[in-house]
């Protein structure tokens, strides 16, 4: 990891109690530039392990050119908060953060899992995980979910969903591979767990929408309608 | 003098180290087909060759494949953007004949 850069020093306060708080306020120990487009960095945080940092500015033009007000960090935070409201535990913790003067967001780095496309993920994945992830992708109308864009823990078949950016929501040509696989396997039916999750989620919509940019509010409003549809039909519609 | 355009693809391993898994090259003289340097049996490479990638840049329907040349090359950075897999932007190299 590279050292000697000017990191932020957070104000002294009570110790962060959870990963999100660590991502938001924890002391940054190291920053490593990653090879590849987007100026992403791997950031070491005191007491919080490592996190991927994604600058907002790298995709700002895509949002601006299409008349959208939202930023990448707001979409990923929305995805995390929806997952949190559902209680699914699919989206790694996220926090908006400025690193070396650049605005963006930090997301916990998952080092016990691999990119699903590297594995026979359809064989490895736990059916319960697939069912939950399918509900999540349906609620948010996630598009660009492919084996290259989510993680799976090969030992326990657990899914991690990441990369909720512009193209995840507005790639009109794409459909979620997770949703498709769940439907093919008949895992689109409501289970007691997913029913409880949706019932937990619906009352949270208003609080999630407070001060949200219009695109985020639109996605959440659609998620509310879709949650109600799943509950009334007992399954994710075809 | 030949112009070569290329994209490199990196993966973060479990030790949180990036390693290059492929280079996608397009020779200007040829111009049409992207050649892939790397293990063609690597599941990610097989996936890209077999299933193609979306046209993120222009949002056109359908998929792009190595035979689509520069269009394919330019879209690799959008396809591989998770961080766990990352592609570079298109780079240019001039080589002597």
């Amino acid at each position: 990891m590279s050292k000697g850069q000017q990191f932020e020093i957070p104000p002294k306060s009570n110790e962060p109690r959870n990963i999100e708080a660590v991502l938001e306020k924890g002391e940054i120990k190291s920053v490593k530039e990653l090879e590849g487009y987007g100026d992403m960095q791997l950031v070491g945080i005191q007491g919080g392990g490592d996190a991927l940092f994604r600058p907002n500015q790298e995709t700002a033009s895509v949002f601006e050119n299409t008349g959208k007000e939202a930023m990448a960090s707001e979409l990923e935070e929305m995805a995390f908060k929806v997952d949190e409201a559902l209680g699914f535990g699919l989206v790694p913790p996220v926090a908006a953060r400025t690193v070396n003067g650049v605005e963006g967001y930090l997301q916990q780095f998952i080092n016990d899992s691999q990119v699903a496309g590297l594995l026979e993920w359809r064989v490895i994945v736990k059916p319960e995980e697939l069912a939950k992830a399918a509900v999540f992708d349906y609620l948010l109308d996630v598009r660009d979910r492919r084996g290259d864009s989510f993680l799976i823990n090969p030992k326990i078949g657990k899914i991690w969903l990441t990369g909720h950016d512009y193209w995840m929501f507005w790639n009109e040509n794409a459909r979620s591979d997770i949703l498709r696989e769940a439907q093919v396997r008949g895992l689109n039916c409501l289970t007691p767990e997913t029913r409880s999750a949706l019932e937990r989620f619906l009352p949270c919509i208003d609080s999630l929408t407070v001060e949200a940019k219009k695109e985020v509010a639109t996605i959440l409003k659609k998620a509310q309608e879709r949650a109600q549809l799943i509950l009334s039909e007992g399954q994710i519609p075809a | 003098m030949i112009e070569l355009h290329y994209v490199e693809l990196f993966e973060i391993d479990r030790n949180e180290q990036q390693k290059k898994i492929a280079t996608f090259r397009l020779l200007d003289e040829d111009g049409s087909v992207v050649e892939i340097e790397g293990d063609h049996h690597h599941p990610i490479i097989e996936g890209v060759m077999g299933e193609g990638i979306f046209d993120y840049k222009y949002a056109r329907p359908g998929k792009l494949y190595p035979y689509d040349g520069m269009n394919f090359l330019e879209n690799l950075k959008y396809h591989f953007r998770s961080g766990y897999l990352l592609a570079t932007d298109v780079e240019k190299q001039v080589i002597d004949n």
Side-chain angles (χ1 to χ4, degrees), chain B:
Chain B
M1 301 277 262
I2 300 172
E3 274 192 351
L4 174 91
H5 292 88
Y6 66 95
V7 165
E8 293 179 313
L9 175 61
F10 296 87
E11 172 192 354
I12 297 183
D13 66 21
R14 296 203 182 183
N15 296 318
E16 299 180 20
Q17 300 299 313
Q18 267 192 313
K19 60 179 184 183
K20 186 164 69 173
I21 59 175
T23 303
F24 300 81
R25 298 178 192 274
L26 182 66
L27 278 174
D28 256 15
E29 278 209 340
D30 216 61
S32 54
V33 180
V34 171
E35 296 174 356
I36 303 174
E37 178 184 293
D39 179 5
H40 284 216
H41 297 298
H42 190 292
I44 297 299
I45 307 303
E46 280 188 337
V48 161
M49 293 170 68
E51 297 167 25
I53 64 176
F54 290 112
D55 182 356
Y56 296 89
K57 187 173 178 181
Y58 298 112
R60 289 179 286 222
K63 292 281 192 80
L64 296 169
Y65 295 88
Y67 57 70
D68 290 307
M70 185 59 79
N71 283 334
F72 173 81
L73 209 63
E74 287 179 329
N75 278 283
L76 285 170
K77 70 185 183 195
Y78 302 115
H79 183 85
F80 295 115
R81 63 187 196 271
S82 71
Y84 297 87
L85 290 171
L86 267 180
T88 64
D89 203 346
V90 178
E91 307 280 353
K92 190 165 76 174
Q93 182 184 7
V94 177
I95 54 178
D96 291 328
N97 292 46

Side-chain angles (χ1 to χ4, degrees), chain A residues 24-231:
Chain A
E24 187 181 7
K25 297 185 189 322
E27 184 178 345
I28 293 176
K29 301 182 304 181
S30 60
V31 177
K32 179 182 181 181
E33 302 279 343
L34 294 178
E35 299 273 4
Y37 182 72
D39 281 346
M40 290 185 69
Q41 298 164 343
L42 196 57
V43 176
I45 302 175
Q46 187 72 39
D50 291 331
L52 282 170
F53 176 72
R54 195 186 297 264
N56 283 335
Q57 67 195 27
E58 291 306 316
T59 53
S61 62
V62 179
F63 287 96
E64 286 165 12
N65 292 342
T66 53
K68 293 178 174 54
E69 299 171 355
M71 296 183 293
S73 57
E74 290 163 331
L75 292 179
E76 195 70 54
E77 281 191 297
M78 174 200 68
F80 175 69
K81 287 175 183 171
V82 167
D83 178 57
E84 198 173 43
L86 289 163
F88 281 168
L90 293 169
V91 180
V94 178
R97 188 82 186 249
T98 296
V99 175
N100 289 338
V102 177
E103 287 185 1
Y105 67 90
L106 284 170
Q107 185 163 49
Q108 184 185 26
F109 183 84
I110 306 298
N111 60 10
D112 63 359
S113 299
Q114 292 181 265
V115 171
L118 291 168
L119 308 166
E120 297 279 357
W121 68 267
R122 290 175 174 84
V123 174
I124 294 168
V125 70
K126 274 173 45 175
E128 311 87 86
E129 282 288 288
L130 187 61
K132 291 190 307 186
V135 167
F136 180 89
D137 276 4
Y138 177 76
L139 285 184
L140 296 185
D141 197 14
V142 160
R143 300 303 182 97
D144 200 21
R145 186 83 72 201
R146 309 171 263 107
D148 305 333
S149 56
F150 67 96
L151 308 175
I152 190 161
N153 183 316
K155 291 182 182 172
I156 60 175
K158 185 204 166 6
I159 288 175
W160 290 103
L161 304 177
T162 67
H164 299 95
D165 59 9
Y166 174 91
W167 293 282
M168 193 62 81
F169 296 102
W170 291 294
N171 180 355
E172 296 296 327
N173 299 313
R175 292 294 180 271
S176 164
D177 281 355
I178 284 180
L179 183 52
R180 183 182 299 120
E181 180 67 13
Q183 287 170 328
V184 163
R185 290 166 62 166
L187 291 172
N188 54 324
C189 296
L190 211 52
T191 65
E193 182 182 11
T194 49
R195 175 179 292 280
S196 299
L198 291 169
E199 290 169 349
R200 270 196 303 274
F201 168 66
L202 281 170
C204 298
I205 297 277
D206 286 345
S207 63
L208 292 175
T209 314
V210 169
E211 296 185 345
K213 298 277 176 60
K214 67 177 182 344
E215 294 81 29
V216 172
T218 300
I219 292 170
L220 290 170
K221 175 69 178 166
K222 189 194 294 188
Q224 180 181 39
E225 293 166 358
R226 288 182 165 220
Q228 290 164 339
L229 190 58
I230 298 174
L231 285 169

